[in-house]
Amino acid sequence: MNVRGDAGTPAEATRQWRAHPLASAPDEPPERSSGLRRQRWDLAVRADLDEALRQVRAGLEFATFPFDLPGAPSARQAAARLAAQLDDYLIPRLRRIDAPLLAVVGGSTGAGKSTLVNSLVQAPVSSAGVIRPTTRGPVLVCHPLDGVWFNERFLLSGLARSTRPGEHQLQVINAPALRPGLALLDAPDIDSVVAANRALAHELMAAADLWLFVTTAVRYADAVPWAVLRDARDRGIAVALVLDRVPLSARGEITADFARMLTDQRLGDAPLFVVTESTLDRHGLLDDLEVAPIKRWLDTVANSAAERHGVTRRTLLGAVGAAGRRIEDLAAAADQQVQATAHVVGAVREAYGHAMSEVEGRLRSGAMLRGEIYAQWQELVDSGELGLALRSLDRPRPGQTRITKMERPAPGRRFLAALHGALAALVSEVDIAATERIRAQWRSDPAGRELLAKHETLARPWPGFVDAAHDLVHHWHTWLRGQARSEAPRLRTATRSYQTAATVLLSTVAAVAPRPEEITATTRAPQMLRSVMENRAARDLGERARAEFLVRVGDLLALEVERHLSAISAVAVNPALAPTLRDGAARLGVARSAFATLDAA
Amino acid sequence: MTGPTADLSRRFDSLGRFTRVAAPHVKDVPKLISAAALVERARARLHLGASDEGDHTVVALAGATGVGKSSLFNALARMDLSPSGHLRPTTGHAHACVWNARGADPLLDWLGVAPQRRFVRESALDAEDEAPLRGLVLLDLPDVDSIATDNRIEADRLVGIVDLVIWVLDPQKYADQSVHDGYLRHMGALCDVTVVVFNQIDRLTPADADRCRADLARLVEADGLPGVPVIATSTVSGAGIEEIRVLLEKAVSGRSAAVARLEGELDQAVAQLGPLVSAEPLNEEGVSREAVPELADGFAAAVGVPGVAREAERTYRARAAVPGPPFRRGSPAPAEVAPADPAAIGATVRRLAARATAGLPAPWPDEVRAAASDELPQLPDELARATAAARGQVSQHAAGWRIARVLWWLALAAAIGGVAWLGWVLVRNSGDRVLPAVVAGAGVLSVVAVTVVAAIWRRLAARRYGRKVEARLREATLTVAREVVAPVRVVLRDYADAQAALTDASVG
């Protein structure tokens, strides 16, 4: 078979073909005028499909599925398999659609795959044996004329080529007994305990134009091979079946049973060959008569260009279609990743949003003036310090430099110290509550559990937070004092400093007090609170002080949010993955339909 | 019930207690569910083996389709009982062969073997040939790897409950993933009651058979089953069949397979559940003894009990002032307790949970935390209510001070009256001057005395009153603290129970 460019091809078309990466010449020269148009069309369609496949491949480069969600391990595996299939088979096969066929001999361990391959090529090319699994490194057998194709890695480019057997490298052997145009690949098993074998077998079968699926009289009802066969059926791959090791006595019975099962599974039209159990000859080969039908069938496929085209196109179409479905599954898995991320991020934002509104609510409702603080407040009222401070604000005494003995100490020092402590405690408290909320939410979510397991410090308060909260209150107080001072003329006298201190005290009180209309109690301490709130200067500064405090708390909590979010973003879920994949799948679908019509033509 | 059986059933009872106690706390843990199922099954099995008659040993032949389970079954029974054939899969239901059928029916019912698939071996015709296997129930299981899923489900069920499993493999399938990864790898606990048979060696040359058997032994060891016998057999040549029979005879005569299997599973279950409790003993009493006062202190601070006490002291002093109007009208001092501080309460409860859960493995800390913070939203109000009620209960004994005030006014009246009288006597310049002088002096002295005594007394009484208020309030917070700690104690007690039960279950 001539696989190089044909002399009969029109010069123009030849130039076009050679210029294009898909360059490869058809066997029969088409009719001149319509043939040329068809070639151009053919070329365009294949270029389209090629581009779509490469777009998908590029998208798969970033398909990581980092969160261990229920579907993630299988999605990761599926993505890796699809990428391997694109690299090993789909892209190269589309570019060299007329290269020799690759028939992969696959099946269970101990089914006799290697013996069958050896018998088909009439040489001990692949070692057969009793120790399972026997074949660990794949062996490719082809006609010497085809060797150039397979040695230059046009398919299965990821596997190293070798002339000696070895694990995870492809041994290429020339066998003159085979017809050119079709190569046999003896794959490892699909069901032994050696996981590497199973993975390699799937990789090889994904790169096959044709499957020669071997099972035995003992195995033909095994679940694992049937799962593989159903997959092949759904992907539209050309399959031929070999029922091996059939005892002569029950040959008819078993064959009929197997054929019935094949029909049940909608695989009835696949060619079925039966090999009876027999002793091997001294070279370890099956009797010629046993394998003759298989050999004849393989030769028929190899000899006819039309047959080979048909097989390749059918498998390509099936594989591209299956790839489209797999991409949709992968996109769904990618969506799940994005949703999981949104969920854990949402838990963080919600928890800290709640924390923020909690702080604001406590300040606005006057909940700070409770417990010990309230007792201090009462003392402040009873001692008369507060009344003095209020009066000094109402009637400023600009000229007077003397102050009374009562006024000398900074007013409400103990009250303020207690209130500051309570404010810092409040901030720490809402942080702890927020981390607990996050923890509870995350524990009910696989992505959250993964984050918790990975980071000990997440969903727990940051160790330095309590100090940070105290610093926050301290700095806020300093800011407030600065504000209070700037309200008054810049002249430092005892009176002024008393007035500043009084302003700070009253505006601090105003910042944490409820609105005056909410103060309903008629005893003295609440009444005094109301009079503080009715003082405009105190209330206005208090309002600003509260806003400033909330801003500062917001900044501090934002650090906590950031601490959690950076851990989440370190997981690196790619939000663009699903759209990219879907886009690629849509393009692939369009290109595939065009390719299918080409096939029909 | 004999010694080891009694001990085993005690240990299973303990495991059952563990699952019951832990179930409400350890949510959705499959380990717990399977442990509970194991307890059920063990009870049933031990009960069936309790009588001497029913003391059978159940051995199952398990494996992939086409490896010759049924042929081996027939060879062991020395009779053609189970159909073997060329078409796959063959056996869809388990077949049983019983040596000495007396008392075996309940066991076979429990195993779920249909009566039409039960065969009785060892009749009078056999003389004493089959006597060593008396008490054996041999099962031929459906395959574990064919497309007939029902077969697999049935085989899985029986593999899970029989006493001894013989895994049958053959030259084609001995390295199949379905048997090794699907079954043998998870049988580590059943090491003592697992046998692997390498069947159909007649298909290989003797040298190949030896190599394959060695390779299989290597795989079995890699599956985590060291020391499990790997017997090469052939139903065609009869090789190895006698070896299996000897093994079965040993299992039957020892009557130990059932116990060994259950023991293996029990040990595995205990090991799997182990991480749910720690080895260190829990000082539950200590936790609650220290926790309640600490919690109460925290609550007291959150309510501001010291402040309330100071305030009460101040009010007392204000109301006990002498002089003052002798009969003051109006309500007694307002029993005012400020609403409690929720942030401080939350922090206190959280501290308690942290202290109580120190050293506990998951999920217990979360359980304790949940139990402790169950009431958290209501706590501020509850505390405020309790403390306000306590504050209201402390009366001020205003009557005594009323009397003091009356006395003071009387003394003042006496002093003024005495002075007026003395003045009148002096103006009149007649009459006794001594008596009015004495009255005036006594009056003045009384005023001073009452004032001084009342002042001292007021100070002391106010302090005592403040202390009393504080004590009452602290009592109230203590009551609330006890309420909060109670559910925590329940969880901790459950934990201690679970710990003890698992320790019981693990001691052989």
Side-chain angles (χ1 to χ4, degrees), chain A residues 108-111 130-133 136 190-194 198 216-224 226-227 230 245 247 249-250 253-255 257 260-261 265 277 362 367-376 378-379 382 414 422 425-426 429 432-433 436 439 443 460 521 523 525-526, chain B residues 64-67 86-89 145-148 170-178 180-181 185 200 203-204 208-209 211-212 215 218-219 223 300-308 310-311 314 334 336-348 350 362-363 366 369 376 380:
Chain A
S108 304
T109 173
V130 289
I131 300 293
R132 312 265 163 254
R136 310 234 168 176
I190 52 167
D191 58 0
S192 83
V193 281
V194 182
R198 299 196 302 268
T216 68
V218 172
R219 292 223 177 246
Y220 73 85
D222 283 12
V224 176
W226 274 108
R230 265 185 230 121
R245 303 195 181 201
S249 56
E253 199 184 355
I254 292 174
T255 310
D257 195 44
R260 179 189 56 74
M261 284 168 92
Q265 299 289 339
E277 178 146 52
R362 293 266 179 93
M368 295 312 298
L369 294 173
R370 282 185 184 175
E372 189 55 32
I373 309 292
Y374 190 72
Q376 295 278 357
Q378 265 179 331
E379 242 162 62
D382 288 349
R414 282 174 58 194
L426 170 68
E429 163 77 13
I432 295 171
E436 276 181 3
R439 198 174 183 75
R443 277 162 56 93
R460 289 182 197 288
T523 45
Chain B
T65 176
V67 293
H86 296 295
L87 300 189
R88 306 280 149 232
D145 69 338
S146 81
I147 41 173
D170 77 345
Q172 260 192 65
K173 291 193 164 183
Y174 80 81
D176 272 19
Q177 185 202 10
S178 56
H180 286 281
D181 286 359
R185 193 150 289 177
Q200 302 184 351
R203 287 168 181 254
L204 302 171
D208 280 348
R211 274 173 57 214
C212 286
D215 195 43
R218 179 187 63 79
L219 286 174
D223 287 335
V303 177
V305 167
V308 175
R310 277 200 303 279
E311 173 68 15
R314 223 171 10 244
E336 199 183 344
V337 180
D341 176 8
I345 291 173
T348 309
R350 205 159 283 128
D366 289 317
R369 210 170 295 133
L376 204 53

Side-chain angles (χ1 to χ4, degrees), chain B residues 323-449:
Chain B
F327 301 104
R328 188 186 274 184
R329 292 192 173 268
S331 60
E336 199 183 344
V337 180
D341 176 8
I345 291 173
T348 309
V349 170
R350 205 159 283 128
R351 255 202 312 279
L352 162 82
R355 171 201 270 274
T357 58
L360 295 196
W364 298 95
D366 289 317
E367 282 296 299
V368 169
R369 210 170 295 133
S373 37
D374 217 17
E375 293 277 302
L376 204 53
Q378 293 93 308
L379 267 185
D381 286 347
E382 199 177 320
L383 267 174
R385 225 176 6 251
T387 44
R391 175 80 179 84
Q393 278 168 9
V394 190
S395 68
Q396 279 199 21
H397 300 297
W401 291 104
R402 254 176 242 153
I403 291 167
R405 278 193 208 107
V406 171
L407 272 181
W408 192 87
W409 285 110
L410 281 178
L412 186 68
I416 291 168
V419 170
W421 189 8
L422 189 63
W424 189 63
V425 168
L426 286 176
V427 170
R428 285 255 321 269
N429 205 13
S430 72
D432 190 4
R433 294 172 188 181
V434 179
L435 190 62
V438 167
V439 169
V444 169
L445 276 179
S446 298
V447 168
V448 171

Side-chain angles (χ1 to χ4, degrees), chain B residues 140-205:
Chain B
D140 180 20
L141 300 192
D143 69 82
V144 295
D145 69 338
S146 81
I147 41 173
T149 328
D150 292 351
N151 286 7
R152 192 188 164 124
I153 293 170
E154 175 72 356
D156 282 359
R157 183 180 72 79
L158 284 165
V159 163
I161 61 177
V162 299
D163 301 331
L164 192 146
V165 185
I166 299 179
W167 287 97
V168 186
L169 298 122
D170 77 345
Q172 260 192 65
K173 291 193 164 183
Y174 80 81
D176 272 19
Q177 185 202 10
S178 56
V179 170
H180 286 281
D181 286 359
Y183 294 92
L184 292 177
R185 193 150 289 177
H186 313 295
M187 299 280 166
L190 307 178
C191 213
D192 297 340
V193 289
T194 302
V195 175
V196 174
V197 164
F198 184 53
N199 199 18
Q200 302 184 351
I201 51 166
D202 51 279
R203 287 168 181 254
L204 302 171
T205 62

